[in-house]
Amino acid sequence: MTNYHSNGLGGTSGSRIATASNIISSGSVYYVSSVSGDAAYDGTSRLYPKALFSQANSLVSDGDIIVLLADHSETIASKVTISDKIFIVGEGSQNGQPTVEFKKGLSSSDIFRINSEDVKFENVKFTSPDSAASGGYLEVDKGGTSFRGCRFEFNGNNNARGVEIANALSCIEFKNCVFVSTGAEGTNIPRPAVEVGSNVSGLILDGCTFDGGLVGFEDSSNNPYAFDATSGGIDSLEIYGLSVLNGTQVALHENTTGLAANVTSSVGGKLVF
């Protein structure tokens, strides 16, 4: 590791990486802001950031860091493929939530496709499209993907699952993430926040919350699943400090192996097998 940032990356709140007092890394750092950024900037300084995530993503290689400044808000309609082992970290926090926002555009594609192992997201919020749209937030096709301190919001405009974990992946982590249905009573019900393929191993849910809100979540068979892992058993699942709220369910296949510790539920929330 050859890049030493003696004063850190300059963040004052948000991701632990963005706010660290010093950073030693093997890769470069690129900054993004929808407010102060410009495609013409090289993005290597927080004073001269790129304007769009895709602009920074086109420059990265393994080990690089993309810092999303606290004012960054971006609607993505065409899928962005992430093909390098990178850190994607958001600055900023307000009322306990990330201020960095990726909004689902009106298209049939996901926001991101993860096509590299070991992609890490920290302190980023994903929000619903303005009207009904198919396609979700993330298509995870490689193992080692991690989400920490992220927030995922869903309403009746979410006509597809939020996060799809492909078959036969390993080492997927959700830590201190919130998945919440934000729709008003009488509106359409969003699809599951997370769908897990078969033969997945080493999946971790640590300190996560699944909140059905007023309308809940629902799969294609009208089951109230926010987390749907019923297509096949997960090998070596670890669940710690899980909260399942307001009538929604975290649903696992009966052949799942592993453990669940400190699971709490309220208002009809359940962990089901």
Side-chain angles (χ1 to χ4, degrees):
M1 295 190 292
T2 58
N3 294 313
Y4 180 50
H5 304 269
S6 59
N7 295 314
L9 303 181
T12 58
S13 65
S15 161
R16 59 184 179 160
I17 295 173
T19 59
S21 59
N22 59 75
I23 291 282
I24 304 172
S25 71
S26 61
S28 301
V29 179
Y30 296 95
Y31 295 86
V32 181
S33 169
S34 57
V35 175
S36 59
D38 193 295
Y41 296 157
D42 67 11
T44 59
S45 163
R46 62 187 302 111
L47 297 178
Y48 299 99
K50 291 293 188 182
L52 302 175
F53 178 87
S54 60
Q55 294 165 358
N57 185 57
S58 68
L59 301 174
V60 297
S61 56
D62 288 353
D64 288 353
I65 303 169
I66 295 179
V67 178
L68 306 166
L69 299 188
D71 56 9
H72 186 70
S73 178
E74 184 176 353
T75 298
I76 297 180
S78 297
K79 183 187 300 181
V80 177
T81 297
I82 299 171
S83 300
D84 299 279
K85 300 176 182 180
I86 60 173
F87 299 86
I88 301 159
V89 301
E91 294 185 0
S93 178
Q94 186 173 29
N95 299 322
Q97 300 180 19
T99 58
V100 168
E101 176 187 29
F102 287 115
K103 190 179 186 69
K104 175 74 180 74
L106 303 180
S107 74
S108 59
S109 66
D110 295 330
I111 295 177
F112 295 121
R113 179 189 179 209
I114 309 303
N115 195 38
S116 171
E117 295 179 343
D118 302 326
V119 174
K120 315 295 185 184
F121 285 85
E122 287 196 9
N123 195 55
V124 175
K125 180 165 61 176
F126 296 86
T127 59
S128 303
D130 291 329
S131 59
S134 57
Y137 295 152
L138 294 119
E139 175 188 348
V140 181
D141 289 337
K142 297 291 183 180
T145 303
S146 173
F147 302 91
R148 292 186 172 222
C150 293
R151 181 179 175 88
F152 302 80
E153 297 182 355
F154 304 86
N155 61 29
N157 292 331
N158 290 94
N159 290 338
R161 80 290 175 272
V163 182
E164 179 183 38
I165 308 299
N167 294 340
L169 296 188
S170 61
C171 301
I172 306 296
E173 179 191 48
F174 296 93
K175 183 176 178 64
N176 298 330
C177 291
V178 174
F179 304 83
V180 59
S181 177
T182 60
E185 288 183 300
T187 59
N188 292 333
I189 301 172
R191 292 302 190 192
V194 181
E195 287 186 353
V196 181
S198 60
N199 300 315
V200 170
S201 64
L203 191 148
I204 298 173
L205 295 175
D206 186 359
C208 292
T209 297
F210 291 86
D211 186 347
L214 296 176
V215 299
F217 294 88
E218 192 172 76
D219 72 358
S220 58
S221 299
N222 304 120
N223 296 303
Y225 298 161
F227 181 94
D228 183 1
T230 59
S231 65
I234 300 172
D235 186 28
S236 299
L237 172 68
E238 297 179 50
I239 296 177
Y240 307 101
L242 175 69
S243 295
V244 191
L245 313 175
N246 292 314
T248 197
Q249 295 182 2
V250 170
L252 307 175
H253 192 275
E254 61 183 0
N255 292 333
T256 293
T257 65
L259 62 85
N262 294 327
V263 176
T264 60
S265 60
S266 67
V267 199
K270 295 180 180 179
L271 172 64
V272 298
F273 295 86

